[in-house]
Amino acid sequence: MIPLSFFTCGVHGGNDESKNEPYSQGEYNVYSTFQSHEPEFDYLKSLEIEEKINKIKWLPQQNAAHSLLSTNDKTIKLWKITERDKRPEGYNLKDEEGKLKDLSTVTSLQVPVLKPMDLMVEVTPRRIFANGHTYHVNSISVNSDCETYMSADDLRINLWHLAITDRSFNIVDIKPANMEDLTEVITASEFHPHHCNLFVYSSSKGSLRLCDMRASALCDKHSKLYEEPEDPSNRSFFSEIISSVSDVKFSHSGRYMLTRDYLTVKVWDLNMETKPVETYQVHDYLRSKLCSLYENDCIFDKFECAWNGSDSVIMTGAYNNFFRMFDRNTKRDVTLEASRESSKPRAILKPRRVCVGGKRRKDDISVDSLDFTKKILHTAWHPTENIIAIAATNNLYIFQDKVNSEMH
């Protein structure tokens, strides 16, 4: 079990002061920066396509280089990232500037040698997968076969081969013949971590569909449907909006699925379709604020969720730069805050508490004073260590477990 309230902070983005300081455990600097997408214009539809990145997915490492997929609303790109810390010197036919020598001046042969140089990170585009989607791409997922990946938009999911850019296979299509009959859209999708034929996609109606590509080329008919019946007593105008699933993640073991809707995170067992095996309230105190959250569009925010390496703790974001952690074994939970005040190296994060009404403790925060412009939508957990990354507006915070950091 990880001690939920003992995370120390590495560093947060947006602060370059640490660049000139010597490296020490728990401090992080920018590794590389590159422009992935440029603004485009779809002349056929008179539509401006922003350069903003919707999703990034790392591919399993096959050699010394790293590879990642990035996508904006329409175009997916494959990037190769390599490091160079040595340069060859002593060419026979080239001078120091790289120009060819006059061959008549070459009177002896020498063996070129590799000499150390400052680390240089080179990022090169390897593939561009364009024209595969009519609607905005909301998720990409790399298959466990390391050869294919899928991309999903509101109504369709496509399967791509990493080596082929000019065609993809449509594996899910929920677009009705008449768009007026449209009742739900696809919100997220992910491949199973071990079985290359299985994938899941979530919908705006709060349901999950597990599909098996062995059954048919077009997975219009799902293998399993995971849906929780709604309690009629809790039915309201906002029910359908807050039940929309914004993220779905398979556990590392492949046995469970983690989903996030507006107010809760749920854990589903692949073998039980009727209801989730665990439900955790992220910020139930917002239930009374849904009307104002609808008016300022916050109710449409899409929060991500994450498993820790052993699938025993789950994490997701909230407002006021808060993020929540739930221990599945002890049922303990904690609210922590990503802020500049707590972002000094070795600072210990203190649990925060939101007060709905009545008696307030000293450090409690009133639900009425929460800042809804500060929100943590993106979270990630290291696959093996207790290190987490939290994206809060334009800052990136990296926290690590105090016990682990003291062992190094």
Side-chain angles (χ1 to χ4, degrees):
M1 188 199 81
I2 131 178
L4 294 181
S5 55
F6 291 95
F7 271 83
T8 57
C9 174
V11 77
H12 67 270
N15 181 5
D16 294 330
E17 291 175 8
S18 61
K19 280 192 176 179
N20 300 321
E21 296 174 5
Y23 173 81
S24 66
Q25 178 67 32
E27 294 186 6
Y28 300 83
N29 289 322
V30 174
Y31 175 67
S32 177
T33 304
F34 66 96
Q35 183 77 25
S36 175
H37 287 71
E38 302 282 352
E40 298 174 55
F41 192 80
D42 187 336
Y43 294 96
L44 195 62
K45 297 178 181 174
S46 296
L47 187 69
E48 194 173 333
I49 303 168
E50 294 181 67
E51 69 267 38
K52 72 178 179 68
I53 307 299
N54 291 346
K55 289 289 175 181
I56 294 172
K57 289 290 178 183
W58 290 95
L59 274 66
Q61 192 172 357
Q62 307 287 342
N63 47 43
H66 294 276
S67 299
L68 66 82
L69 288 167
S70 65
T71 182
N72 63 355
D73 286 340
K74 299 290 182 184
T75 306
I76 305 158
K77 296 185 180 183
L78 174 65
W79 298 89
K80 181 182 178 182
I81 302 162
T82 53
E83 292 181 350
R84 195 147 55 92
D85 60 357
K86 292 182 179 66
R87 68 168 177 266
E89 286 186 5
Y91 282 111
N92 290 290
L93 303 179
K94 293 180 182 177
D95 60 20
E96 291 178 0
E97 295 178 359
K99 295 178 182 176
L100 283 173
K101 293 179 181 178
D102 182 357
L103 296 183
S104 62
T105 64
V106 180
T107 57
S108 62
L109 294 178
Q110 58 183 340
V111 178
V113 293
L114 291 172
K115 292 199 173 176
M117 60 177 278
D118 291 337
L119 178 67
M120 183 181 292
V121 180
E122 296 178 334
V123 182
T124 51
R126 298 306 302 272
R127 307 267 193 280
I128 296 177
F129 306 88
N131 306 318
H133 288 275
T134 306
Y135 307 97
H136 292 179
V137 179
N138 57 43
S139 58
I140 47 178
S141 178
V142 182
N143 202 345
S144 59
D145 62 10
C146 299
E147 291 185 353
T148 56
Y149 76 92
M150 68 177 174
S151 56
D153 62 29
D154 288 347
L155 299 178
R156 296 189 178 102
I157 300 176
N158 292 339
L159 181 69
W160 301 80
H161 193 286
L162 285 162
I164 302 170
T165 60
D166 60 351
R167 65 182 180 275
S168 62
F169 296 95
N170 180 227
I171 53 175
V172 172
D173 188 348
I174 65 167
K175 184 181 178 182
N178 184 351
M179 284 295 279
E180 290 181 4
D181 298 330
L182 183 68
T183 58
E184 62 180 333
V185 295
I186 298 167
T187 55
S189 64
E190 189 177 58
F191 268 119
H192 191 279
H194 311 306
H195 303 299
C196 60
N197 55 291
L198 294 178
F199 68 93
V200 67
Y201 69 91
S202 58
S203 84
S204 56
K205 278 193 167 180
S207 60
L208 303 170
R209 290 174 174 85
L210 185 71
C211 300
D212 189 340
M213 290 191 291
R214 295 172 302 182
S216 64
L218 186 63
C219 300
D220 279 350
K221 292 181 180 174
H222 47 268
S223 300
K224 290 188 176 183
L225 173 65
Y226 302 87
E227 204 167 31
E228 186 175 22
E230 187 186 3
D231 184 354
S233 61
N234 290 334
R235 179 79 184 160
S236 72
F237 171 77
F238 306 107
S239 293
E240 194 166 315
I241 301 172
I242 63 174
S243 66
S244 175
V245 175
S246 58
D247 194 21
V248 57
K249 295 275 172 62
F250 276 105
S251 62
H252 296 85
S253 67
R255 172 70 187 270
Y256 300 99
M257 294 180 294
L258 178 64
T259 62
R260 172 70 205 262
D261 56 41
Y262 191 66
L263 294 178
T264 66
V265 280
K266 296 172 182 175
V267 176
W268 298 80
D269 189 320
L270 258 66
N271 298 327
M272 192 166 87
E273 301 172 59
T274 52
K275 62 178 181 178
V277 288
E278 299 161 30
T279 299
Y280 302 95
Q281 298 295 332
V282 178
H283 38 210
D284 200 48
Y285 46 78
L286 295 182
R287 204 173 284 275
S288 61
K289 303 262 177 205
L290 293 178
C291 190
S292 57
L293 290 165
Y294 178 78
E295 289 171 357
N296 64 17
D297 282 346
C298 283
I299 202 169
F300 301 106
D301 286 335
K302 300 184 187 307
F303 293 93
E304 292 179 0
C305 51
W307 298 90
N308 72 335
S310 62
D311 297 334
S312 60
V313 182
I314 54 182
M315 171 177 63
T316 191
Y319 293 106
N320 211 67
N321 278 4
F322 288 166
F323 59 99
R324 301 269 283 140
M325 287 185 168
F326 304 92
D327 190 305
R328 298 180 59 211
N329 298 324
T330 64
K331 303 305 177 188
R332 285 174 59 216
D333 65 86
V334 67
T335 301
L336 301 170
E337 182 181 8
S339 66
R340 287 180 177 270
E341 289 72 30
S342 64
S343 63
K344 293 166 184 156
R346 308 242 172 234
I348 294 178
L349 289 179
K350 294 176 182 174
R352 307 304 303 267
R353 187 172 173 270
V354 178
C355 176
V356 180
K359 239 183 177 182
R360 248 173 87 180
R361 293 185 218 162
K362 183 185 172 187
D363 294 327
D364 284 0
I365 295 170
S366 167
V367 67
D368 296 318
S369 60
L370 292 175
D371 188 344
F372 293 105
T373 63
K374 294 179 178 177
K375 57 192 87 168
I376 292 176
L377 303 178
H378 309 290
T379 57
W381 207 310
H382 192 283
T384 54
E385 298 179 38
N386 283 330
I387 299 174
I388 58 173
I390 305 291
T393 321
N394 62 338
N395 290 318
L396 175 66
Y397 297 88
I398 298 176
F399 302 103
Q400 65 188 94
D401 183 14
K402 183 182 179 188
V403 176
N404 275 357
S405 61
E406 286 177 347
M407 288 171 63
H408 288 87

